[in-house]
Amino acid sequence: MSTTAKRPTRAATPHALAPTRQEPTSQRARAYQGFTQQLLSGNIRPGQFVSQRELMTLLDMPLGAVREMIPRLEAGGLVKTVPQRGLQIAHVDLKLIRNAFQLRAMIEREAVRLFVRSVGTAELDEIEAAHHDILRRARAAQPDTPDAVLLDDAQSIDWGLHDRMVDAMGNEILSEIYRVNSLRVRLITLEQTVITPARLIPAMEEHLRFISALQQRDAAAAMAGLDDHILSAQARVMAAPQTLSAPG
């Protein structure tokens, strides 16, 4: 069972949950965005069974929009239909962790290789300053006490950088694949660890190391720093005290 602390639902932060490009405003798209917000806020749990009617209530969307959303969720491996039981949210196991982090690394390595040449100095300075602010707040907070506001702000800054690098490639197909996989990675993180200010500090420090390499336009160092960050993130998940099921 997860020990993730329940956090209040907050509005989606622009960098953490949404692409930088304009999303369609259809009911199906709004239902999908609502589903991801509920998933990441902990109101929908890995392995949970949920009916279409329950999703209607949770998302405040009509049944038609929920039904249209389901194939997209199934295609992304976020849910599966189980006869007689309804929809089951993706279950976190060792296979999912390995696959999700491997795909993340493949896409982000190419992204950072291109980003180091295209990103502007002023933008990198803003990114660096935002990370230092989160690091300062995390160090000043109670180290082992979850802080919902700090966590949400940190995730916005953290994933905002990764999303920005991937979107900078200008490949909408890759961006969409990456967004879906990011949901898997964040689902894994929320399920397997209790995120506290103390746990934010190493992630922010890892980011700052490869941000420094980006500022120096050192592609090799940036890619090495990114690899270290992704491997560390996976190791933190694998080292969590929860028991993972073996892949089926």
Side-chain angles (χ1 to χ4, degrees):
M1 178 178 295
S2 169
T3 59
T4 304
K6 181 69 71 176
R7 298 186 288 112
T9 302
R10 299 181 69 205
T13 49
H15 294 299
L17 300 180
T20 55
R21 61 185 183 280
Q22 184 66 38
E23 281 289 311
T25 56
S26 67
Q27 285 191 329
R28 178 177 62 182
R30 292 201 301 274
Y32 183 85
Q33 291 166 358
F35 179 89
T36 63
Q37 292 172 28
Q38 294 295 327
L39 191 69
L40 297 177
S41 67
N43 294 325
I44 300 175
R45 306 300 305 172
Q48 175 185 343
F49 284 93
V50 61
S51 70
Q52 293 183 14
R53 296 285 178 182
E54 288 171 332
L55 284 177
M56 283 177 58
T57 301
L58 193 61
L59 305 179
D60 192 24
M61 296 296 294
L63 182 59
V66 170
R67 285 177 171 168
E68 289 180 357
M69 166 190 70
I70 289 171
R72 183 177 179 185
L73 296 176
E74 289 180 321
L78 297 173
V79 304
K80 66 178 179 180
T81 300
V82 179
Q84 310 297 323
R85 300 204 59 183
L87 299 169
Q88 185 179 28
I89 311 303
H91 182 67
V92 174
D93 58 21
L94 292 171
K95 181 178 179 180
L96 177 63
I97 293 172
R98 284 196 299 264
N99 290 350
F101 275 91
Q102 183 181 42
L103 179 58
R104 175 186 176 185
M106 290 171 65
I107 295 175
E108 289 194 34
R109 283 174 185 145
E110 177 66 9
V112 77
R113 185 182 69 82
L114 299 174
F115 194 63
V116 71
R117 299 200 302 261
S118 65
V119 64
T121 300
E123 182 178 358
L124 283 176
D125 289 344
E126 290 178 4
I127 291 170
E128 181 187 36
H131 279 73
H132 277 298
D133 181 62
I134 294 295
L135 194 55
R136 174 189 58 77
R137 290 167 57 189
R139 286 171 172 162
Q142 294 295 322
D144 297 319
T145 303
D147 182 328
V149 175
L150 174 59
L151 173 57
D152 284 352
D153 290 347
Q155 288 183 322
S156 176
I157 296 300
D158 184 334
W159 284 100
L161 173 56
H162 294 279
D163 291 348
R164 173 72 180 91
M165 291 192 302
V166 171
D167 284 343
M169 290 192 290
N171 186 323
E172 293 186 356
I173 296 174
L174 270 181
S175 287
E176 177 61 21
I177 292 171
Y178 181 78
R179 283 298 188 283
V180 174
N181 194 61
S182 289
L183 286 175
R184 299 188 193 105
V185 172
R186 288 176 235 192
L187 181 65
I188 291 165
T189 303
L190 288 171
E191 177 65 3
Q192 298 304 320
T193 59
V194 179
I195 304 176
T196 61
R199 287 183 176 270
L200 292 177
I201 291 172
M204 291 294 108
E205 290 175 337
E206 290 159 11
H207 263 217
L208 283 166
R209 284 194 286 273
F210 85 79
I211 289 170
S212 176
L214 289 170
Q215 290 172 319
Q216 296 170 41
R217 308 299 171 175
D218 187 335
M223 292 179 70
L226 178 67
D227 283 345
D228 288 344
H229 174 57
I230 294 175
L231 288 172
S232 294
Q234 183 174 358
R236 284 190 285 270
V237 169
M238 299 294 287
Q242 288 75 18
T243 300
L244 294 170
S245 63

